[in-house]
Amino acid sequence: MNRDQKAAVIDEVAAQISESEAVFAVDYRGISVPQAAELRTKLRDADASFRVVKNTLTERAADKAGADALKELLEGPTAMTFVRGDAAAAAKALSDFRRASGGTLLEFKGGWMNGSGLTPEEIDSIAQLPAREVLEARLVGMVAAPLTGVVTALNNLIAGFARQLQQIADQGLVGGSAPAPAAEAAPAEEAPAEEAAPAAEATPEPEAPAEDTSTETEEN
């Protein structure tokens, strides 16, 4: 591998470190090519990749990515698992593979996650966590439970209000059967006053004064 090829590998590994949610370092001694292919298939489901790179190149890539904790793990045969997806699922795939081999293959050396180094024991703990899909389903259930209670309470409130309205309607307190308000009867009480008005207009006018007969007396 010439200098340009080494530089390209360093850049590529540095980019993988920077883009990963987690990086797990394992000792790959004893793993066969078919076993490595099988492992890569399982890791692909967690959006993770398994890669073997010379320690010197990985160290320079870790320097470039600012992941100094990974440099401490680069002693002896070391393979890196770059996890872009579910870290718990990837750690579980590695742990299950090691368990199936009788604990002789893929021993955890440590790792890198959220800007901090990981011990082998911490990676084992991550492998015991539920998968992301399970956690998301639990979260949805936790959020949906209170919402279901609110909807049920609202439905009960609306149903109770409707029953109260029906009871009021059955008692004739609402609707067309209710008696007319007292204010509407006022015009009927004023009717006699209106009928009496013509009588006042029929009052006879005062009689004209009697004619003066004094002239006739003087002529007689």
Side-chain angles (χ1 to χ4, degrees):
M1 184 181 294
N2 59 38
R3 179 177 300 178
D4 292 339
Q5 290 173 329
K6 290 180 180 179
V9 171
I10 292 170
D11 290 342
E12 186 176 350
V13 174
Q16 286 182 298
I17 294 173
S18 299
E19 295 169 359
S20 296
E21 295 289 334
V23 180
F24 303 140
V26 298
D27 188 333
Y28 69 89
R29 282 179 294 187
I31 188 172
S32 65
V33 173
Q35 287 175 323
E38 179 186 353
L39 177 61
R40 286 188 173 94
T41 299
K42 293 181 179 179
L43 289 172
R44 195 175 298 119
D45 294 337
D47 194 11
S49 59
F50 183 80
R51 184 168 184 176
V52 178
V53 181
K54 290 183 64 174
N55 288 348
T56 54
L57 300 181
T58 303
E59 183 176 1
R60 293 173 63 182
D63 269 332
K64 190 170 185 177
D68 292 340
L70 289 178
K71 295 164 57 177
E72 303 173 1
L73 310 176
L74 300 175
E75 294 183 4
T78 306
M80 293 291 179
T81 299
F82 301 102
V83 186
R84 293 175 296 276
D86 191 339
K92 182 175 177 57
L94 294 170
S95 182
D96 289 346
F97 188 91
R98 183 180 61 188
R99 189 180 300 109
S101 69
T104 60
L105 298 177
L106 297 186
E107 180 181 354
F108 288 132
K109 302 180 73 173
W112 173 263
M113 186 174 184
N114 295 330
S116 301
L118 293 172
T119 65
E121 293 75 21
E122 289 173 332
I123 300 177
D124 280 327
S125 298
I126 293 173
Q128 303 303 317
L129 294 174
R132 178 176 297 178
E133 292 80 3
V134 176
L135 292 176
E136 290 175 351
R138 291 180 181 178
L139 178 61
V140 170
M142 292 172 61
V143 173
L147 292 178
T148 302
V150 171
V151 171
T152 301
L154 288 175
N155 287 338
N156 292 338
L157 178 62
I158 294 172
F161 184 62
R163 285 194 297 270
Q164 292 178 359
L165 287 178
Q166 186 60 46
Q167 290 175 0
I168 293 173
D170 292 343
Q171 295 173 7
L173 300 180
V174 295
S177 59
E184 295 180 359
E189 295 176 356
E190 296 175 357
E194 294 178 358
E195 294 176 357
E201 294 175 358
T203 303
E205 297 180 358
E207 296 181 358
E211 296 181 358
D212 189 2
T213 59
S214 58
T215 306
E216 294 180 358
T217 304
E218 290 177 358
E219 290 177 353
N220 291 334

